[in-house]
Amino acid sequence: MTQAIATLRGRFDPSRHGALLALVVIVLFNFAVTPNFFQAQTLFVNISQVATIAIVAMGMTLVIATGGIDLSVGAIMALAGALAPLIFLSDFAAANPALGLAASILVPILVALCCGVFNGVLVSVLNVQPIVATLIFFISGRGFAQVLTNGNLQTFTNPSFSYLGTGRVLGLPFQGWLVLLIALVLFWVVTRSLFGRQVLAVGGNERAARLAGIPVHRVKIGAYVICAGLSGLAGLIVVAINSASDAARIGNLMELDAIAAAVVGGTLLQGGRAPIFGAVLGAIIIQLVKYTLLANGIADEVALIAKAGIIIAAVYLQQARKE
């Protein structure tokens, strides 16, 4: 028995498996304490809430893997979320429902991709520090969204668009399947594609990557573009869930949740590593912590403190692993 325990300890590395252990602890705690935790409705609510965090966190993981950071993801969500209802409520959409539906999805995502190009050029071409570069759109992006909507809540009715947020596939929320699809695609990109290898090389040692002939500028821009595009998609999902858009609230503090999820999932802040499924796992932990506190009558503000503690623990485990 002693030998078996020693073997188990040797195989379990907290710096590698700490997130999985945390998830198990949270689930067991809820099983014992939280009423109705394993009911279908609770599952649907958590999947709906975690989907947007996971989608943005996967994009954030790519950016951090290049040695950068993106503080603009919440603002990009707000901007994309503001554009969709504007298109729905336009005369063009009224006269061409099918084209209006397509435009309400494609145009916001294209605008989000342009925001990613803006961020990427500032960081890679103009050598602006990533925090400063993305802080620009963190401040201005939500302002643009509020100007477009005059600061008003926009409501609409479109069942086809709302399917993004309320649809079911095989009994599970559509956005849950969307998270799985995106994770599989990005996992292939990181582990099998040339771009993925270049992302890890740039984050691991940018100078060596340049000497090896890797197009560092394009790689960094590509990472920011993917992150921004996924943020735009997340913004559309939030709007679809609510059948309304509030530029002041959509994506609020999402940058913190996305960074926390990426770090908890094993992404190294210094770059060079992009665990895509780890980001999804981190997003689940972040959401379950918030749900657990709220379900047990603890104020939402405490969840922010808990998130800070989770990040501290994740960074500590990263340092322990390096040593």
Side-chain angles (χ1 to χ4, degrees), residues 38-275:
F38 286 102
Q39 286 190 354
Q41 185 60 34
T42 301
L43 175 64
F44 291 160
V45 168
N46 279 306
I47 291 178
S48 298
Q49 294 294 325
V50 79
T52 51
I53 302 175
I55 289 172
V56 179
M58 287 187 280
M60 185 70 74
T61 294
L62 287 181
V63 170
I64 296 176
T66 65
I69 201 76
D70 192 345
L71 300 181
S72 68
V73 291
I76 293 174
M77 286 179 64
L79 182 58
L83 287 171
L86 286 177
I87 297 172
F88 276 131
L89 300 173
S90 67
D91 295 335
F92 169 78
N96 306 276
L99 290 177
L101 175 62
S104 67
I105 297 173
L106 295 177
V107 171
I109 290 180
L110 287 174
V111 171
L113 293 174
C114 291
C115 296
V117 173
F118 175 80
N119 288 336
V121 168
L122 285 180
V123 171
S124 65
V125 179
L126 300 182
N127 293 319
V128 179
Q129 287 291 329
I131 290 180
V132 177
T134 57
L135 186 63
I136 294 172
F137 208 84
F138 169 85
I139 298 171
S140 62
R142 195 173 298 277
F144 284 132
Q146 291 178 308
V147 168
L148 287 173
T149 62
N150 292 319
N152 297 323
L153 177 71
Q154 301 179 96
T155 60
F156 65 93
T157 302
N158 188 301
S160 297
F161 182 86
S162 296
Y163 190 85
L164 276 174
T166 60
R168 297 283 187 267
V169 177
L170 299 178
L172 294 176
F174 172 76
Q175 62 264 45
W177 294 105
L178 192 58
V179 168
L180 178 60
L181 176 62
I182 294 171
L184 290 172
V185 171
L186 289 183
F187 179 77
W188 180 87
V189 168
V190 169
T191 60
R192 294 289 185 268
S193 73
L194 175 61
F195 174 75
R197 292 192 292 272
Q198 290 175 338
V199 164
L200 301 183
V202 169
N205 190 322
E206 184 173 330
R207 184 171 181 274
R210 290 184 187 278
L211 294 175
I214 293 175
V216 174
H217 289 341
R218 280 185 290 174
V219 171
K220 285 188 174 183
I221 292 174
Y224 281 96
V225 167
I226 292 173
C227 184
L230 291 177
S231 300
L233 176 60
L236 295 183
I237 291 175
V238 173
V239 172
I241 291 173
N242 299 316
S243 292
S245 173
D246 184 352
R249 295 179 61 87
I250 292 179
N252 194 27
L253 297 181
M254 177 57 76
E255 53 281 339
L256 302 183
D257 283 345
I259 294 171
V263 172
V264 169
T267 303
L268 301 178
L269 289 174
Q270 63 266 34
R273 191 164 182 260

